[in-house]
Amino acid sequence: METEKLYYEDPYLQEFTARVLSCEPVKAGYAVTLDRTAFYPEGGGQPADHGTLGGAAVLDVHEKDGVVFHICENSVEIGEVSGAIDWARRFDHMQQHSGEHILSGILCRDHHCDNVGFHLGADTVTIDYNTDISWEQALAAEQKANAVIWTDAPVEITYPSREELAALAYRSKKELTGQVRIVTFPEADCCACCGTHIRRAGQVGLIKVLSVQKFREGVRMEILCGGRALRYLGQTYDQARAIGRQLSVKPQDTLFAVERMAAELAAVKQREAQLEEQVFFHIAEESAEKGDVLLFQSPMRPDGVRKLADTVARRCGGLAAVFAGEEPAYAYALVQSGGADISPLVKSLNAALHGRGGGRNGFAQGSVQARREEIASFFRTRQSK
Ligand SMILES: [Zn+2]
């Protein structure tokens, strides 16, 4: 016996009573059938309802040949039972699904394309279209879709005859057989659909497009509607507000402030490089004609370590070894003036000081895990050989 589908008679029905016809143990729990149900089974891109049947949690719902199976955590007694659906979850699904129809109806009409995919996930909602749609075009459609929401027109659900259907221009993902259910959002969309929808356009609340990315022969668009859109925009605004507080600007002026900060940072980096060059020059002067030189520095950028070793090697006339960091983690650069091969030295250094790295033509760069005294001792031993 086919299950009577209360969710089509009244998609706002949250609680109902029904007769339990069967309850069979299955892999995920118990599969329960009823004479009638308000639980929407997964279909048309809309996920299944959750809720309770008697004292049992309903974890999943699916339909086969007109019969709705409620997958429950516990068994349910044959006889009368009361059911309650998780309304927050269902209403969210209705907001996303109806919003998707409005936006897809507008986009497919304006760009002569089809909606070829719809995914309503726990956090994300994506729609695939088989044509290229730019970000600006998506925002234009978003504007139109929200204008449709503000008309608050009633949603029309009809079951047209074959003849009526033949004369109707409607969207459909596949060839349909049997009775077709048509969901119409005036001014926006007319589409064959088996999902549950809000009563009036206004209940979608808000449609926001988050991204448009190339996908297969067209694009994948990420959207959020209603409560989800509000939560997302709220989080984003909170972040803009926190950034604005850090930068002492209004939340809507953060981009300008960040751009200004990036320009300031670039100028500071340039000045830092100039000062660094001067300091390196002085260090190199102090090392002039000293032969092999070992220098310890506070942490530096890797190219700074290399530059200092280079500058010193040009003046000292021997090996310039620079170790920059904090005990016991040092980055090192070795430069042999004259460019003689230092690979045997690097090999023994890495072995003695838990190091890694290498190089060629009188230059090597790497890091070690060693105390300052161990490093100094390594070079003293080397010199005395
Ligand atoms: Zn639909």
Side-chain angles (χ1 to χ4, degrees):
M1 191 180 91
E2 285 200 14
T3 315
E4 188 187 340
K5 294 165 180 78
L6 301 174
Y7 48 84
Y8 282 151
E9 287 164 31
D10 178 8
Y12 285 77
L13 185 64
Q14 300 174 34
E15 288 174 8
F16 66 103
T17 56
R19 210 150 42 81
V20 178
L21 302 180
S22 69
C23 177
E24 304 286 339
V26 289
K27 215 169 157 194
Y30 294 84
V32 177
T33 63
L34 308 171
D35 61 341
R36 54 187 209 156
T37 187
F39 279 90
Y40 179 74
E42 185 187 352
Q46 185 178 329
D49 283 341
H50 289 173
T52 54
L53 266 184
V58 178
L59 309 171
D60 194 19
V61 187
H62 61 261
E63 180 190 344
K64 199 175 175 229
D65 301 327
V67 179
V68 176
F69 293 88
H70 307 75
I71 307 303
C72 298
E73 201 172 14
N74 307 110
S75 68
V76 180
E77 298 257 327
I78 303 292
E80 190 88 353
V81 74
S82 56
I85 66 169
D86 176 346
W87 181 245
R89 176 181 163 90
R90 159 70 87 70
F91 187 66
D92 167 56
H93 291 162
M94 285 170 33
Q95 281 190 317
Q96 310 309 316
H97 195 162
S98 296
E100 181 268 327
H101 272 235
I102 294 172
L103 187 67
S104 287
I106 289 166
L107 275 167
C108 294
R109 180 189 66 201
D110 289 0
H111 298 278
H112 312 289
C113 63
D114 301 307
N115 163 6
V116 291
F118 171 47
H119 176 73
L120 205 180
D123 303 308
T124 56
V125 182
T126 60
I127 321 168
D128 302 336
Y129 300 102
N130 58 357
T131 195
D132 194 28
I133 295 168
S134 70
W135 175 246
E136 289 71 23
Q137 288 168 332
L139 291 185
E142 176 192 287
Q143 196 77 30
K144 287 184 186 178
N146 282 295
V148 166
I149 290 173
W150 302 331
T151 65
D152 198 25
V155 179
E156 296 157 12
I157 293 181
T158 53
Y159 296 87
S161 66
R162 277 184 161 285
E163 296 72 40
E164 288 168 325
L165 201 61
L168 197 65
Y170 66 97
R171 296 192 300 119
S172 170
K173 278 210 194 79
K174 53 185 182 212
E175 252 347 280
L176 297 161
T177 53
Q179 179 62 63
V180 175
R181 182 170 177 263
I182 296 290
V183 179
T184 304
F185 287 85
E187 307 285 307
D189 189 40
C190 180
C191 185
C193 178
C194 60
T196 58
H197 286 274
I198 45 99
R199 251 185 224 127
R200 302 181 74 95
Q203 289 203 351
V204 172
L206 170 70
I207 297 177
K208 184 76 199 95
V209 176
L210 300 186
S211 68
V212 183
Q213 281 178 324
K214 292 234 172 300
F215 184 72
R216 300 213 174 122
E217 76 273 44
V219 292
R220 169 164 287 181
M221 200 176 285
E222 196 185 349
I223 69 161
L224 289 180
C225 305
R228 285 195 196 198
L230 180 65
R231 274 195 300 281
Y232 178 86
L233 294 174
Q235 284 166 0
T236 308
Y237 182 74
D238 280 349
Q239 218 168 98
R241 223 163 75 97
I243 294 168
R245 221 179 275 138
Q246 292 269 333
L247 302 175
S248 305
V249 296
K250 288 179 185 157
Q252 59 270 42
D253 293 333
T254 49
L255 176 61
F256 167 73
V258 167
E259 283 169 349
R260 193 183 53 199
M261 200 167 71
E264 284 169 5
L265 184 64
V268 167
K269 277 187 174 164
Q270 200 180 3
R271 182 71 185 136
E272 183 203 14
Q274 287 168 352
L275 292 172
E276 194 181 66
E277 215 166 281
Q278 288 174 21
V279 170
F280 288 178
F281 176 80
H282 285 291
I283 295 174
E285 284 307 303
E286 282 167 19
S287 312
E289 315 303 333
K290 283 196 176 158
D292 294 352
V293 174
L294 171 63
L295 294 170
F296 288 95
Q297 295 284 312
S298 48
M300 291 163 74
R301 285 173 291 112
D303 71 315
V305 185
R306 181 185 54 77
K307 258 190 215 162
L308 177 57
D310 250 343
T311 314
V312 171
R314 261 182 257 126
R315 297 290 286 130
C316 72
L319 175 79
V322 177
F323 286 75
E326 265 161 10
E327 212 161 65
Y330 290 94
Y332 71 78
L334 306 178
V335 178
Q336 177 69 53
S337 51
D341 186 24
I342 55 168
S343 42
L345 166 69
V346 175
K347 223 174 157 185
S348 62
L349 178 137
N350 285 337
L353 302 172
H354 309 285
R356 56 203 299 178
R360 57 181 180 166
N361 299 339
F363 165 75
Q365 195 159 18
S367 61
V368 295
Q369 287 286 326
R371 283 182 294 113
R372 181 180 170 136
E373 182 41 44
E374 289 173 311
I375 298 167
S377 155
F378 172 84
F379 282 95
R380 269 199 308 275
T381 317
R382 175 182 171 263
Q383 254 172 356
S384 63
K385 267 183 196 163

